[in-house]
Amino acid sequence: MEGPLRDQIISEIFKRMEEHYRGGSGQSAIIHWRITGRPDGGEDHWEVVVSDGACATSPEPKSEPRVTLKLGGVDFLKLVTGNASGPMMFMTGKLKIEGDLMFSAQIQSMFTIPQAATGSPAP
């Protein structure tokens, strides 16, 4: 996540968040993601707006968030692909949360995480 494809990977993940939002949760919230570890020492800052059963993302945050999640690039990939537990990452200090802690526990369940094709049928 420090290579030349970082921006493209992160952009694609947020685009897919829009596609894989479950909707129907009745939630309205603004979530900020701060992904550290850029090669220049900076971080990527994205905004996810969940409202009226839809999800929109932007690399230019404009609104006050209900919650801000901050983590490194590799840990971000693990979290959004379902290969890491948000609560465990929080407890070990890999994930920093500012704002509504109780709401942050619901974020992962708001999205369908596609399963990788393995060539074998799902159990």
Side-chain angles (χ1 to χ4, degrees):
M1 285 300 290
E2 293 181 10
L5 296 178
R6 176 186 168 107
D7 292 341
Q8 184 178 349
I9 291 167
I10 291 173
S11 293
E12 187 65 24
I13 288 169
F14 281 101
K15 180 179 121 191
R16 289 181 186 220
M17 276 186 188
E18 295 177 0
E19 297 169 7
H20 294 285
Y21 177 64
R22 291 180 188 220
S25 67
Q27 292 282 0
S28 288
I30 296 170
I31 305 161
H32 282 192
W33 291 82
R34 299 177 74 99
I35 306 159
T36 63
R38 288 187 62 84
D40 62 7
E43 60 186 34
D44 294 287
H45 192 176
W46 279 75
E47 181 173 84
V48 175
V49 178
V50 173
S51 181
D52 298 324
C55 174
T57 63
S58 171
E60 299 174 10
K62 294 178 172 62
S63 303
E64 187 68 27
R66 180 172 179 179
V67 68
T68 299
L69 308 173
K70 183 175 180 177
L71 67 171
V74 172
D75 289 325
F76 170 73
L77 285 178
K78 289 177 182 178
L79 182 65
V80 299
T81 59
N83 290 304
S85 159
M88 184 60 71
M89 291 179 85
F90 176 72
M91 296 299 287
T92 59
K94 293 180 179 180
L95 170 63
K96 309 260 191 274
I97 301 172
E98 296 175 14
D100 189 341
L101 194 60
M102 295 302 286
F103 171 73
S104 70
Q106 302 170 30
I107 294 172
Q108 222 170 2
S109 68
M110 295 168 62
F111 299 90
T112 303
I113 299 174
Q115 299 300 311
T118 60
S120 58

